[in-house]
Amino acid sequence: MSVGVSSLADQRQPVNESLLGRVPLFASLPGSEIHHLAESLRQSEIPAGTLLFREGEHGDRFFIVLEGQIEIIKAMGTPEERVLGVRGPGEYIGEMSLLNRDGLRTASARALTRLQVLEMTRADFDALLHRQPTLAYEMVRVLSVRLRESQNRTIRDLQDKNRQLAEAYENLKAAQAQLIEKEKLERELQLALEVQSSLIPRATPRLAGWDFAALWRPARVVSGDYYDFIPLHAEQDAPGWGVVIADVSDKGMPAALFMVLSRSIVRASVAHPLSPAECITQANRLICADATGGMFVTLFYTALGPSDGRLTYVNAGHNPPLLYRADRDQWSDLTRTGVALGMLSMCKLDQRVIQLEPGDFVFLYTDGVTEAANEQGRRFEEDNMRRIVHEHRRAPAAEIVSAVEREVSRFIGDNPPFDDITMVVAKRVS
Amino acid sequence: MEISVSHEQGREPVTVLRMKGDINRATADQVQAQARQAFEAGARNIVLDLSEVPYMSSAGIRVINDLFNLLRGDSAAEMDEAMRQGLRDGTYKSPHLKLLNPTRHVQEVLNMAGIDMFLEIHGNLKDAVASF
């Protein structure tokens, strides 16, 4: 609230004539006029923080500052609020509403400090101008200075606003460009996944006497895991199949690229009419030549004779697949026969041979299964996986794979999978 | 994961990195950074003390392989015919990186990946240091 007439009138003090003579507005007035003003003006003391008047109110007086400082505020209390200026001793405020036809305050005024002011009512002001018309020149001079200041400030404010708008526009443009780039990257990642998915067999081989199942579930968009079924030496009388499961040591796009490289090299290497150990030893040499950055791939490869049930395998540092023997209802592990591929270029890999009888199967997996973690950070562990595979040992291959997948999903709950999960089952049924 | 670094003097100066805690995907980067730091500080013969590592995932194998390559890269000139033959025969062991006293689980992981085929594993520090 602005202060009322009565509240100021209570603090009215006698006006000192010599003080009046030092006010620039009155400097040119004759002594008789100063004496008259001293009688008619009121001097008031106003505490700091007091609102003298508010923009838009009707104004019936103006103030001459003797001591202290007053700030002139436009659009007070709104987001557009700004201080037009600060008036100090010798200056006056509130004259605009006395000159304006509508008599409304054009800005608000607030005491920055404790004030000593002189108040002049509209009637006194009109009478003074009648008596001393030359005073109007002095007021016009001050008015024109204030107008120029106000215009300059308005232009500066407009320029500031313009600059802020231009900056905001630039920021918006940059954010939009980032968004477009992000969408582009996501599209590219999606395309990478499509390319990678196309390298994973669409279906398992259909071979008389055999039941195959496989699962490939990338944890992120792309994967470092893969499995493969490769027809071998189709030109021979008894063509075989190569079965691969592999896990690249890293994650994300580098692992995905390394996976694609490894897959191609292994495919090309096993096409040679050599033993599986020789083929994978050759693949290792080629992978090592390209394995910059310390990446490697653990890989299990087995050549499978569909007619005789013979599996000749190479385990290059991969989690040992489980072998189930139906006649003895027993399990064993197909342990490593050499180092993971990409570690040592000249190392030798060995092979082993096993014979699958009807009811026997091998269960291949990557450590995404056993290391799947729940929200408490506990791992699924190999024992759980072995138990589930054991419980489903007489079920079709697809059921074994889906049972493990189901249990892993239930175990991790809402925890996002960290690692890719891949499984392959090759079961001899007759 | 806590890693302490100490120095032993055998025929060669040896840096011992003693790990305490699991080496998994969460801690592997820290182990790798510390191992690389030791290498950059001049360590050329390193013993990884694994006696207090209860669990190691494939991320740990990646770290060991990285350190093996780092130390091997420094000795590329040593790739003579005897070494090539050793690699072919499966008798080659790194002269610069040795493992100490892995727990049973970690030993299994090392065997699985074939790390033990080219890194010596010692049962006590004295033997490990003397082997350089």
Side-chain angles (χ1 to χ4, degrees):
Chain A
M1 268 302 288
S2 52
V3 287
V5 180
S6 59
S7 62
L8 289 182
D10 294 343
Q11 297 150 21
R12 185 172 170 176
Q13 299 161 12
V15 179
N16 182 332
E17 275 185 45
S18 67
L19 207 61
L20 267 186
R22 289 205 294 273
V23 172
L25 179 64
F26 303 142
S28 59
L29 295 181
S32 57
E33 188 60 66
I34 294 291
H35 180 72
H36 181 76
L37 284 174
E39 302 241 297
S40 59
L41 290 180
R42 298 186 316 181
Q43 183 173 342
S44 308
E45 183 174 316
I46 298 173
T50 306
L51 194 60
L52 279 82
F53 52 80
R54 187 186 288 275
E55 182 177 348
E57 278 178 355
H58 190 78
D60 65 350
R61 68 195 58 212
F62 87 111
F63 300 85
I64 297 156
V65 185
L66 297 176
E67 277 177 42
Q69 289 190 314
I70 300 176
E71 53 181 351
I72 314 300
I73 306 161
K74 195 79 183 155
M76 195 175 69
T78 73
E80 299 298 309
E81 173 175 318
R82 61 196 172 95
V83 174
L84 291 181
V86 174
R87 307 278 176 249
E91 296 184 289
Y92 53 88
I93 63 160
E95 78 290 355
M96 292 287 277
S97 65
L98 301 189
L99 297 170
N100 284 345
R101 202 178 286 270
D102 61 8
L104 299 182
R105 297 292 191 195
T106 54
S108 305
R110 185 165 54 199
L112 260 183
T113 63
R114 191 183 61 82
L115 299 174
Q116 286 289 341
V117 294
L118 293 175
E119 287 180 66
M120 183 180 278
T121 64
R122 179 183 286 272
D124 287 344
F125 181 63
D126 285 344
L128 175 64
L129 281 184
H130 271 288
R131 286 195 308 276
Q132 306 288 342
T134 53
L135 197 65
Y137 288 116
E138 175 60 19
M139 294 200 80
V140 167
R141 195 185 57 74
V142 172
L143 263 179
S144 78
V145 169
R146 287 186 182 177
L147 189 66
R148 198 169 57 235
E149 278 175 4
S150 170
Q151 272 179 337
N152 287 345
R153 196 167 293 116
T154 305
I155 289 168
R156 268 204 310 277
D157 283 354
L158 268 174
Q159 284 171 334
D160 275 353
K161 282 250 153 40
N162 247 339
R163 202 171 47 242
Q164 284 169 8
L165 267 175
E167 268 175 29
Y169 178 64
E170 286 303 319
N171 288 344
L172 205 66
K173 272 208 309 201
Q176 195 193 17
Q178 260 184 0
L179 206 66
I180 290 170
E181 187 60 27
K182 189 166 170 273
E183 278 173 7
K184 207 171 99 190
L185 273 176
E186 275 168 9
R187 264 202 311 280
E188 282 177 4
L189 263 181
Q190 202 56 42
L191 278 175
L193 175 66
E194 281 169 31
V195 170
Q196 207 182 20
S197 302
S198 73
L199 301 178
I200 300 293
R202 280 191 182 76
T204 52
R206 287 164 163 257
L207 293 178
W210 290 86
D211 178 20
F212 295 103
L215 173 99
W216 179 71
R217 201 174 80 186
R220 302 183 194 177
V221 182
V222 289
S223 171
D225 278 11
Y226 83 96
Y227 72 86
D228 208 356
F229 292 106
I230 310 163
L232 301 174
H233 321 307
E235 72 287 353
Q236 294 177 1
D237 293 340
W241 279 84
V243 181
V244 181
I245 191 164
D247 182 358
V248 173
S249 59
D250 218 324
K251 304 271 173 284
M253 193 52 89
L257 291 172
F258 200 72
M259 168 252 158
V260 172
L261 168 86
S262 304
R263 177 191 172 276
S264 302
I265 288 177
V266 168
R267 277 209 158 216
S269 299
V270 301
H272 295 293
L274 298 168
S275 72
E278 286 167 323
C279 291
I280 301 301
T281 299
Q282 160 81 355
N284 178 51
R285 266 200 293 276
L286 293 169
I287 289 172
C288 279
D290 287 333
T292 49
M295 271 199 269
F296 59 88
V297 56
T298 69
L299 177 136
F300 178 89
Y301 169 76
T302 183
L304 181 152
S307 51
D308 58 9
R310 224 160 77 117
L311 265 63
T312 308
Y313 71 86
V314 177
N315 184 345
H318 193 77
N319 298 65
L322 313 182
L323 165 66
Y324 177 66
R325 295 289 192 196
D327 59 345
R328 281 166 281 169
D329 196 25
Q330 269 182 1
W331 292 95
S332 54
D333 293 349
L334 307 183
T335 53
R336 70 113 197 269
T337 63
V339 183
L341 309 185
M343 282 186 171
L344 291 172
S345 64
M346 261 157 295
C347 75
K348 187 165 130 282
L349 289 118
D350 293 326
Q351 64 184 34
R352 285 193 210 112
V353 181
I354 52 170
Q355 181 73 36
L356 290 199
E357 301 301 337
D360 293 356
F361 69 91
V362 286
F363 175 82
L364 284 50
Y365 67 98
T366 57
D367 61 8
V369 176
T370 48
E371 290 181 14
N374 64 11
E375 275 174 338
Q376 287 77 47
R378 281 184 46 232
R379 289 181 294 273
F380 188 67
E381 297 294 6
E382 209 177 301
D383 288 349
N384 267 325
M385 183 192 72
R386 285 177 184 270
R387 177 180 54 76
I388 296 157
V389 177
H390 180 72
E391 284 167 6
H392 293 80
R393 63 195 181 282
R394 296 195 177 91
E399 267 183 44
I400 301 171
V401 167
S402 62
V404 175
E405 188 198 15
R406 203 168 47 239
E407 287 298 315
V408 169
S409 296
R410 209 173 61 168
F411 178 80
I412 65 173
D414 292 333
N415 214 24
F418 180 81
D419 205 354
D420 313 319
I421 287 178
T422 304
M423 291 181 261
V424 175
V425 170
K427 191 168 197 171
R428 189 171 184 199
V429 287
S430 62
Chain B
M1 166 58 63
E2 283 174 42
I3 304 164
S4 56
V5 183
S6 60
H7 301 278
E8 299 284 335
Q9 185 65 49
R11 275 190 298 273
E12 301 272 341
V14 176
T15 303
V16 182
L17 298 180
R18 186 181 169 86
M19 321 279 164
K20 196 170 175 182
D22 289 351
I23 305 180
N24 52 33
R25 60 188 182 235
T27 60
D29 287 351
Q30 187 199 344
V31 179
Q32 181 163 348
Q34 190 106 20
R36 282 181 166 253
Q37 208 179 326
F39 177 79
E40 271 149 32
R44 292 298 176 267
N45 299 306
I46 293 180
V47 170
L48 282 187
D49 183 346
L50 301 169
S51 53
E52 289 190 77
V53 177
Y55 174 81
M56 185 163 81
S57 74
S58 56
I61 299 294
R62 198 173 72 228
V63 172
I64 293 176
N65 186 51
D66 180 73
L67 187 56
F68 163 71
N69 279 326
L70 208 59
L71 291 164
R72 186 169 68 148
D74 199 49
S75 60
E78 292 175 21
M79 275 292 253
D80 57 13
E81 187 47 42
M83 187 172 161
R84 286 168 197 272
Q85 191 59 44
L87 278 166
R88 276 195 290 271
D89 297 348
T91 55
Y92 167 82
K93 301 281 181 189
S94 167
H96 301 294
L97 179 62
K98 321 267 174 160
L99 306 180
L100 176 62
N101 217 4
T103 57
R104 202 174 67 85
H105 165 79
V106 171
Q107 175 80 53
E108 281 170 14
V109 174
L110 295 172
N111 289 355
M112 190 188 81
I115 289 285
D116 60 325
M117 294 174 77
F118 59 94
L119 295 185
E120 287 173 17
I121 300 177
H122 293 274
N124 65 67
L125 181 62
K126 199 166 146 256
D127 290 351
V129 172
S131 72
F132 284 98

